[in-house]
């Protein structure tokens, strides 16, 4: 036998790629520019060869308990994964069938249409309102099996209003996935609310606020019956031993470290946005650890920043917004370098 075949249409899905040339400062993927949760590093230093030779725990129960305590839900309302990507993917597989529609805000997290299509689902983008808020009415009108919300939203940084989120949770015809990857930087989070509904799955990550992107740790929260179904689709051994040790330590001991950085990010967000406005730009109001700022020609600005050793995400032709830059927040000295290049290029 020669060759292979894939599902019709599958070959048209592209693997996710982010152009990431060698740079000294990478503000392109919203990671923590202040470093790593210190207890996580200390825990990694205490590894033994059994952490390598033996399988990790099946479903990361210690981490689930720590994550549950962190967001205020019992551990049977938590599923851990290899990044929150893993859980978004598993939730689509578990909670919908091939051919079902998943509606998502447009623009929103770039992986959602990819995970949707690899799982046989049909992604439908629903433009954000001109205010940047979620269009709850239009989302509900899709009648989709899964409604994906992302607050604060990537790549806009804007938060969905409490009213819009509450309405979608209340009136959704099917499942709601509530992605709160940037929740630590926002004025409010809805994660713990997920357990009050049978059909809501909230996701969080340790890649951003806790500085653990390289270890790939995320968790999802929902009613225990829903968590059981996502866990099956996720499968065993998804969080490796090192990741579980480090993340459990971070969630147990490093909340003050993380909160200090989140507070600094909030201050920098305001200061950076004001500086962008003095350059004649009009950044979107951010609740995340990055700022999205529309520009006339994103590619040109991104290249000018690359030439200075700085990577930001260039976004070309976003729905509602057009070209924009998504710039991760970092200590002020770094942001000043970005501002200097912008001033030159614009
Ligand atoms: N959701 C959103 C909105 C994101 O921006 C990201 C990371 N880019 C993720 C989920 C996935 O994060 P991770 O897999 O690192 O937990």
């Amino acid at each position: 036998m020669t060759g292979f075949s894939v599902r019709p249409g599958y070959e048209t899905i592209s693997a996710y790629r982010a152009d990431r040339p060698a740079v000294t400062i990478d503000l392109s993927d919203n990671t923590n520019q202040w470093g790593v949760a210190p207890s996580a590093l200390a825990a990694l230093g205490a590894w033994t060869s059994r952490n390598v030779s033996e399988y990790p725990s099946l479903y990361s129960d210690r981490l689930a308990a720590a994550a549950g305590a962190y967001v205020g839900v019992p551990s049977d309302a938590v599923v851990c994964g290899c990044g929150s990507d893993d859980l978004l993917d598993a939730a689509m597989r578990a909670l919908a069938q091939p051919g079902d529609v998943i509606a998502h805000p447009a623009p929103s997290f770039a992986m959602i249409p990819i995970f949707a299509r690899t799982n046989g689902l049909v992604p439908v983008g629903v433009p954000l309102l001109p205010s940047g808020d979620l269009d709850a009415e239009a989302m509900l009108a899709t009648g989709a099996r899964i409604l994906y919300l992302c607050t604060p939203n990537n790549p806009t940084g804007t938060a969905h209003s409490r009213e819009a989120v509450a309405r979608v949770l209340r009136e959704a015809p099917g499942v709601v996935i509530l992605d709160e990857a940037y929740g630590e930087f926002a004025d409010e989070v809805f994660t713990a609310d997920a357990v009050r509904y049978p059909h809501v799955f909230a996701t969080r990550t340790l890649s951003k606020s806790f500085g653990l992107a390289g270890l790939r740790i995320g968790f999802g929260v929902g009613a225990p019956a829903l968590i059981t179904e996502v866990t099956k689709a996720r499968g065993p051994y998804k969080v490796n031993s090192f990741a579980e040790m480090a993340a459990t330590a971070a969630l147990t001991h490093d909340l003050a470290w993380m909160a200090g950085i989140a507070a600094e990010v909030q201050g920098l967000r305001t200061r950076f946005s004001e500086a962008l406005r003095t350059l004649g730009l009009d950044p979107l109001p951010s609740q995340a650890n990055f700022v999205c700022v529309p520009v006339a020609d994103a590619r040109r600005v991104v290249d000018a920043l690359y030439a200075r050793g700085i990577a930001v995400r260039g976004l070309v032709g976003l729905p509602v917004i057009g070209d924009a830059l998504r710039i991760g927040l970092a200590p002020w000295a770094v942001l000043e370098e970005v501002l200097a290049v912008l001033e030159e290029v614009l």
Side-chain angles (χ1 to χ4, degrees):
M1 222 168 90
T2 55
F4 66 93
S5 62
V6 293
R7 287 201 301 274
Y10 189 85
E11 72 286 355
T12 64
I13 305 171
S14 303
Y16 176 77
R17 289 195 203 293
D19 43 332
R20 191 167 294 146
V23 286
T24 42
I25 297 166
D26 189 350
L27 309 182
S28 72
D29 52 12
N30 315 328
T31 50
N32 193 320
Q33 299 299 312
W34 285 262
V36 181
S39 305
L41 271 190
L44 287 174
W47 67 280
T48 70
S49 63
R50 286 177 68 85
N51 293 132
V52 180
S53 63
E54 302 295 321
Y55 280 95
S57 66
L58 270 171
Y59 296 109
S60 332
D61 293 342
R62 281 181 58 224
L63 176 55
Y70 170 53
V71 295
V73 302
S75 59
D76 64 354
V78 178
V79 53
C80 302
C82 177
S84 50
D85 274 351
D86 188 22
L87 300 165
L88 295 166
D89 182 36
M92 289 186 206
R93 206 157 43 251
L95 305 173
Q97 14 183 347
D100 282 343
V101 169
I102 174 170
H104 59 84
S108 192
F109 183 34
M111 287 307 300
I112 294 305
I114 298 178
F115 287 141
R117 297 185 64 212
T118 55
N119 285 300
L121 310 188
V122 180
V124 171
V126 175
L128 288 170
L129 293 169
S131 65
D133 197 1
L134 181 77
D135 190 340
E137 181 82 35
M139 289 286 287
L140 291 166
T142 63
R145 172 77 156 231
I146 300 182
L147 298 177
Y148 168 86
L149 314 186
C150 185
T151 187
N153 185 45
N154 178 9
T156 57
T158 49
H160 301 336
S161 65
R162 165 172 281 274
E163 298 70 42
V165 173
R167 179 162 177 216
V168 171
L169 298 189
R170 229 177 23 242
E171 297 178 25
V175 168
V176 180
I177 297 178
L178 184 58
D179 183 340
E180 298 191 290
Y182 301 96
E184 280 82 0
F185 307 103
D187 291 343
E188 61 179 345
V189 288
F190 306 96
T191 312
D193 294 346
V195 298
R196 295 197 283 113
Y197 299 87
H199 64 291
V200 178
F201 183 58
T203 57
R204 302 288 292 262
T205 182
L206 278 79
S207 298
K208 316 293 179 183
S209 49
F210 288 92
L212 301 180
L215 291 176
R216 311 296 300 119
I217 306 141
F219 63 95
V221 171
L226 183 141
I227 292 298
T228 301
E229 299 310 324
V230 177
T231 300
K232 282 194 269 182
R234 188 215 74 154
Y237 307 127
K238 282 296 180 71
V239 178
N240 72 68
S241 306
F242 293 86
E244 182 170 15
M245 288 192 303
T248 305
L251 287 173
T252 310
H253 304 296
D254 290 336
L255 300 188
W257 176 87
M258 184 278 292
I261 290 170
E264 189 170 343
V265 162
Q266 290 173 344
L268 284 164
R269 198 158 70 191
T270 308
R271 189 173 175 194
F272 187 55
S273 300
E274 277 164 10
L276 290 169
R277 277 191 285 274
T278 65
L279 296 180
L281 298 170
D282 192 13
L284 305 182
S286 173
Q287 285 276 304
N289 67 339
F290 57 85
V291 170
C292 181
V293 58
V295 290
D297 181 353
R299 282 206 183 94
R300 191 170 70 89
V301 184
V302 166
D303 287 344
L305 283 158
Y306 280 160
R308 299 285 192 91
I310 300 171
V312 306
R313 185 61 53 91
L315 304 159
V316 176
L318 288 180
V320 190
I321 292 158
D323 271 24
L325 306 176
R326 192 192 66 194
I327 306 170
L329 291 161
W332 184 247
V334 174
L335 297 177
E336 272 184 319
E337 284 190 52
V338 174
L339 290 165
V341 177
L342 290 178
E343 190 165 11
E344 224 173 83
V345 178
L346 295 170

Coordinates of all heavy atoms in Angstrom, one line a residue, residues 16 29-30 81-86 88 108-112 115 148 150-154 179-182 203-208 212-213 216-219 290 326, ligand 1:
Y16 N -0.1 25.6 12.9 CA 0.1 27.0 13.4 C 1.6 27.3 13.3 O 2.5 26.5 13.7 CB -0.3 27.0 14.9 CG 0.0 28.3 15.6 CD1 -0.8 29.4 15.3 CD2 1.1 28.5 16.4 CE1 -0.5 30.7 15.9 CE2 1.4 29.7 17.0 CZ 0.6 30.8 16.8 OH 0.8 32.0 17.4
D29 N 4.7 37.0 22.2 CA 3.7 35.9 22.6 C 3.3 36.1 24.1 O 2.8 35.1 24.7 CB 4.2 34.5 22.3 CG 5.6 34.2 22.8 OD1 6.1 35.0 23.6 OD2 6.2 33.2 22.4
N30 N 3.4 37.3 24.6 CA 2.7 37.6 25.8 C 3.2 36.8 27.0 O 2.5 36.6 28.0 CB 1.2 37.5 25.8 CG 0.6 38.1 24.5 OD1 1.1 39.1 24.0 ND2 -0.5 37.5 24.0
G81 N -3.8 20.2 32.0 CA -3.4 19.8 30.7 C -2.1 20.4 30.3 O -1.5 21.2 31.0
C82 N -1.6 19.9 29.2 CA -0.3 20.3 28.6 C -0.6 21.7 27.9 O -0.8 21.8 26.7 CB 0.2 19.3 27.6 SG 1.6 19.8 26.7
G83 N -0.6 22.7 28.8 CA -1.0 24.1 28.3 C -2.5 24.1 28.2 O -3.2 23.1 28.2
S84 N -3.1 25.3 28.3 CA -4.5 25.4 28.1 C -4.9 25.0 26.7 O -6.1 24.6 26.4 CB -5.1 26.7 28.6 OG -4.4 27.8 28.0
D85 N -4.0 25.1 25.7 CA -4.3 24.6 24.4 C -4.8 23.2 24.4 O -5.8 22.9 23.7 CB -2.9 24.6 23.6 CG -2.6 25.9 22.9 OD1 -3.4 26.8 22.9 OD2 -1.4 26.0 22.4
D86 N -4.1 22.4 25.2 CA -4.5 21.0 25.3 C -6.0 20.8 25.7 O -6.7 20.0 25.2 CB -3.6 20.3 26.3 CG -3.7 18.8 26.4 OD1 -4.1 18.2 25.5 OD2 -3.3 18.3 27.5
L88 N -8.4 23.2 25.5 CA -9.4 23.7 24.5 C -9.6 22.7 23.4 O -10.8 22.4 23.0 CB -8.8 25.0 23.9 CG -8.6 26.2 24.8 CD1 -7.7 27.3 24.2 CD2 -10.0 26.7 25.2
S108 N -10.1 36.7 17.5 CA -9.8 36.1 18.8 C -8.6 35.2 18.6 O -7.9 35.3 17.6 CB -11.1 35.5 19.3 OG -10.9 35.1 20.7
F109 N -8.5 34.3 19.6 CA -7.3 33.4 19.7 C -7.2 32.6 18.4 O -8.1 31.8 18.0 CB -7.5 32.6 20.9 CG -6.3 31.7 21.2 CD1 -5.0 32.0 20.9 CD2 -6.5 30.4 21.8 CE1 -3.9 31.2 21.2 CE2 -5.5 29.6 22.1 CZ -4.2 30.0 21.8
A110 N -6.0 32.7 17.8 CA -5.8 32.1 16.5 C -5.9 30.6 16.4 O -6.1 30.0 15.4 CB -4.4 32.5 16.0
M111 N -5.7 30.0 17.6 CA -5.7 28.5 17.6 C -7.1 27.9 17.5 O -7.3 26.8 17.2 CB -5.0 27.9 18.9 CG -3.5 28.0 18.9 SD -2.7 27.3 17.5 CE -3.3 25.6 17.6
I112 N -8.1 28.8 17.8 CA -9.5 28.2 17.9 C -10.0 27.6 16.6 O -10.4 26.5 16.5 CB -10.4 29.3 18.5 CG1 -10.0 29.6 20.0 CG2 -11.9 28.8 18.4 CD1 -10.0 28.4 20.9
F115 N -7.9 24.3 16.0 CA -8.4 23.2 16.9 C -9.8 22.7 16.4 O -10.1 21.5 16.4 CB -8.5 23.5 18.3 CG -7.2 23.6 19.0 CD1 -6.9 24.6 20.0 CD2 -6.1 22.7 18.8 CE1 -5.7 24.7 20.6 CE2 -4.9 22.8 19.4 CZ -4.7 23.8 20.3
Y148 N -17.4 30.0 22.1 CA -16.0 30.2 22.7 C -16.0 31.7 23.0 O -16.2 32.6 22.1 CB -14.9 29.8 21.7 CG -13.5 30.3 22.1 CD1 -12.8 29.6 23.0 CD2 -13.0 31.5 21.6 CE1 -11.5 30.1 23.4 CE2 -11.8 32.0 22.0 CZ -11.0 31.2 22.9 OH -9.8 31.7 23.2
C150 N -13.4 34.7 25.0 CA -12.0 34.9 25.4 C -11.9 36.2 26.1 O -12.0 37.3 25.4 CB -11.1 34.8 24.2 SG -9.4 34.9 24.6
T151 N -11.8 36.2 27.4 CA -11.7 37.5 28.1 C -10.7 37.5 29.2 O -10.7 36.6 30.0 CB -13.1 37.9 28.6 OG1 -13.1 39.2 29.2 CG2 -13.7 37.0 29.7
P152 N -9.7 38.5 29.2 CA -9.5 39.4 28.1 C -9.2 38.7 26.8 O -8.6 37.6 26.8 CB -8.3 40.2 28.6 CG -8.2 40.0 30.1 CD -8.8 38.7 30.3
N153 N -9.6 39.3 25.7 CA -9.5 38.7 24.4 C -8.1 38.8 23.8 O -7.5 39.9 23.8 CB -10.5 39.3 23.5 CG -10.6 38.6 22.1 OD1 -10.7 37.4 22.0 ND2 -10.7 39.4 21.1
N154 N -7.6 37.8 23.2 CA -6.4 37.8 22.4 C -6.8 37.8 21.0 O -7.6 37.0 20.6 CB -5.5 36.5 22.7 CG -4.3 36.5 21.9 OD1 -3.9 37.4 21.2 ND2 -3.6 35.3 22.0
D179 N -12.3 31.2 27.9 CA -10.9 31.2 27.9 C -10.4 32.5 28.7 O -10.6 33.6 28.2 CB -10.3 31.2 26.5 CG -8.8 31.1 26.4 OD1 -8.1 31.5 27.4 OD2 -8.3 30.7 25.3
E180 N -9.8 32.2 29.9 CA -9.3 33.3 30.7 C -7.8 33.3 30.9 O -7.3 33.4 32.0 CB -10.0 33.4 32.0 CG -11.5 33.6 31.9 CD -12.3 33.8 33.2 OE1 -12.4 32.9 34.0 OE2 -12.7 35.0 33.4
A181 N -7.1 33.0 29.7 CA -5.7 32.9 29.8 C -5.0 34.1 30.4 O -3.9 34.0 31.0 CB -5.1 32.6 28.4
Y182 N -5.6 35.3 30.3 CA -5.0 36.5 30.8 C -5.8 37.0 32.0 O -5.7 38.2 32.3 CB -5.0 37.6 29.6 CG -4.2 37.1 28.5 CD1 -4.9 36.5 27.4 CD2 -2.8 37.1 28.5 CE1 -4.1 35.9 26.3 CE2 -2.1 36.6 27.4 CZ -2.7 36.0 26.3 OH -2.0 35.5 25.3
T203 N -11.1 28.1 31.1 CA -9.7 27.6 31.0 C -8.7 28.7 31.5 O -9.0 29.9 31.3 CB -9.3 27.2 29.6 OG1 -9.5 28.3 28.7 CG2 -10.0 26.0 29.1
R204 N -7.6 28.3 32.1 CA -6.6 29.2 32.6 C -5.2 28.6 32.3 O -5.1 27.4 32.0 CB -6.7 29.3 34.2 CG -8.0 29.8 34.7 CD -8.2 31.2 34.4 NE -7.3 32.1 35.2 CZ -7.6 32.7 36.3 NH1 -8.8 32.5 36.8 NH2 -6.7 33.4 37.0
T205 N -4.2 29.5 32.3 CA -2.9 29.0 32.0 C -1.9 29.5 33.0 O -2.1 30.6 33.6 CB -2.5 29.4 30.6 OG1 -1.2 28.9 30.2 CG2 -2.4 31.0 30.4
L206 N -0.8 28.8 33.1 CA 0.4 29.3 33.9 C 1.5 29.8 33.0 O 2.6 30.2 33.4 CB 0.9 28.2 34.8 CG 0.1 28.1 36.1 CD1 -1.2 27.3 35.9 CD2 0.9 27.4 37.2
S207 N 1.2 29.9 31.7 CA 2.2 30.3 30.7 C 2.5 31.8 30.8 O 3.5 32.3 30.4 CB 1.7 30.0 29.3 OG 1.6 28.7 29.1
K208 N 1.5 32.6 31.3 CA 1.6 34.1 31.2 C 2.0 34.6 32.6 O 3.1 35.0 32.8 CB 0.3 34.7 30.7 CG -0.3 34.0 29.5 CD 0.5 34.1 28.3 CE -0.2 33.3 27.1 NZ 0.6 33.3 25.9
L212 N 5.6 30.3 33.2 CA 5.9 28.9 33.0 C 5.6 28.4 31.6 O 5.3 27.2 31.4 CB 5.2 28.1 34.1 CG 5.5 28.4 35.5 CD1 4.7 27.5 36.5 CD2 7.0 28.3 35.8
A213 N 5.7 29.3 30.6 CA 5.2 28.8 29.2 C 6.0 27.6 28.8 O 5.5 26.7 28.1 CB 5.4 30.0 28.3
R216 N 4.5 24.2 29.8 CA 3.2 23.9 29.2 C 2.2 23.4 30.3 O 2.0 22.1 30.4 CB 3.4 22.8 28.1 CG 4.4 23.1 27.1 CD 4.1 24.4 26.3 NE 2.9 24.3 25.6 CZ 1.8 25.1 25.8 NH1 1.9 26.1 26.7 NH2 0.7 25.0 25.1
I217 N 1.6 24.3 31.0 CA 0.7 23.9 32.1 C -0.6 24.8 32.0 O -0.5 26.0 32.0 CB 1.2 24.1 33.5 CG1 2.6 23.4 33.6 CG2 0.2 23.6 34.5 CD1 3.6 24.1 34.4
G218 N -1.7 24.2 31.8 CA -3.0 24.9 31.9 C -4.0 24.1 32.7 O -3.7 22.9 33.0
F219 N -5.1 24.7 33.1 CA -6.1 23.9 33.7 C -7.5 24.4 33.3 O -7.6 25.6 32.9 CB -5.9 23.8 35.2 CG -6.0 25.2 36.0 CD1 -7.2 25.6 36.5 CD2 -4.9 26.0 36.1 CE1 -7.3 26.8 37.2 CE2 -5.0 27.2 36.8 CZ -6.2 27.6 37.4
F290 N -0.7 42.7 27.4 CA -0.2 43.2 26.1 C -1.1 44.3 25.7 O -2.2 44.5 26.2 CB -0.2 42.1 25.1 CG -1.5 41.4 24.9 CD1 -2.5 41.9 24.0 CD2 -1.8 40.3 25.6 CE1 -3.7 41.3 23.8 CE2 -3.1 39.7 25.4 CZ -4.0 40.2 24.5
R326 N 0.5 43.7 18.3 CA 0.2 43.2 19.6 C 1.6 43.2 20.3 O 2.4 42.4 20.0 CB -0.4 41.8 19.6 CG -1.0 41.4 20.9 CD -1.4 39.9 20.9 NE -0.2 39.1 20.8 CZ -0.2 37.8 20.5 NH1 -1.3 37.2 20.3 NH2 1.0 37.2 20.4
Ligands
LIG1 N1 -5.8 31.1 25.2 C1 -5.3 32.2 24.8 C2 -6.3 33.3 24.6 C3 -4.0 32.4 24.6 O1 -3.5 33.6 24.1 C4 -3.1 31.4 24.7 C5 -1.6 31.5 24.5 N2 -1.2 32.2 23.4 C6 -3.6 30.1 25.1 C7 -4.9 30.0 25.3 C8 -2.8 28.9 25.3 O2 -1.9 29.0 26.3 P1 -1.1 27.8 26.8 O3 -1.3 26.6 25.9 O4 0.3 28.2 26.9 O5 -1.7 27.5 28.2

